[in-house]
Amino acid sequence: AMISSAMRIAALILVMGLTACGTFGKGAPSTTSPVEPVRVPTTALVPTPAPASFVRSTAEVQVTRTIDVREGVTHAQGMRMLTDALNERFTVDVADPRAGFVMTEWQSSLRNGVPDLRYRTRVTARFLGEDWRRLQLRHEANWARGDEWDIGYDAPQLDSVTADLRTKLGKR
């Protein structure tokens, strides 16, 4: 096969370039002082731990709370009170007044005033039964570990949201 002179020159340039790259910075050995390789300190990336409030769990009992709704609260009042209370801390993403269901958007936590996209929480609430005398509250939290999410809940946040909703909707 015939190889053109342009192809020979291109191959020669490639080989010379690779050879130059392989010897770059090595220099000629000196007889008076040995050349020491430059040592760059290596530090392993230490994974950041999840927030202390995060509890890893998939157990329904741990992530769910039930509130007894006081007498006299109509379906419309209950939904309005629930969405207003959740909107104080979260952004309501889904609200179905006929089903008595509300779900907030995932919300990232703040670390040093900056959103930490590795940790997110959300709340889901559903009135139970036809009379809506009970409100089931479910809390979810996710902590990103690499490409995967650890699943659980944020214990203080769940307790705080439960106490707030119990004050607004619960029996007195």
Side-chain angles (χ1 to χ4, degrees), residues 27-118:
S30 169
T31 55
T32 56
S33 66
V35 175
E36 288 292 320
V38 176
R39 298 191 189 274
V40 177
T42 58
T43 56
L45 291 177
V46 177
T48 307
S53 59
F54 177 69
V55 179
R56 212 173 154 186
S57 175
T58 56
E60 285 293 318
V61 147
Q62 291 184 332
V63 300
T64 306
R65 301 289 184 271
T66 304
I67 298 168
D68 291 324
V69 178
R70 73 175 167 269
E71 294 293 326
V73 175
T74 67
H75 291 197
Q77 289 171 330
M79 278 299 292
R80 187 174 55 253
M81 291 163 56
L82 175 60
T83 54
D84 288 350
L86 290 176
N87 270 325
E88 289 177 12
R89 294 193 212 179
F90 300 93
T91 301
V92 171
D93 185 32
V94 177
D96 184 344
R98 290 177 48 217
F101 176 82
V102 176
M103 182 172 63
T104 67
E105 291 182 352
W106 285 106
Q107 175 177 294
S108 296
S109 65
L110 294 177
R111 284 197 184 192
N112 301 322
V114 177
D116 183 353
L117 301 179
R118 296 170 297 176

Side-chain angles (χ1 to χ4, degrees), residues 60-70 81-82 85-86 88-90 104 122-126 134-140 153-171:
E60 285 293 318
V61 147
Q62 291 184 332
V63 300
T64 306
R65 301 289 184 271
T66 304
I67 298 168
D68 291 324
V69 178
R70 73 175 167 269
M81 291 163 56
L82 175 60
L86 290 176
E88 289 177 12
R89 294 193 212 179
F90 300 93
T104 67
R122 78 172 170 193
V123 175
T124 306
R126 176 185 310 271
R134 293 173 38 143
L135 176 67
Q136 183 183 59
L137 188 65
R138 179 181 166 82
H139 192 278
E140 297 173 83
Y153 66 101
D154 189 294
Q157 194 175 75
L158 173 58
D159 292 342
S160 176
V161 170
T162 302
D164 189 37
L165 289 173
R166 190 169 278 133
T167 299
K168 293 180 177 164
L169 287 161
K171 292 184 176 182

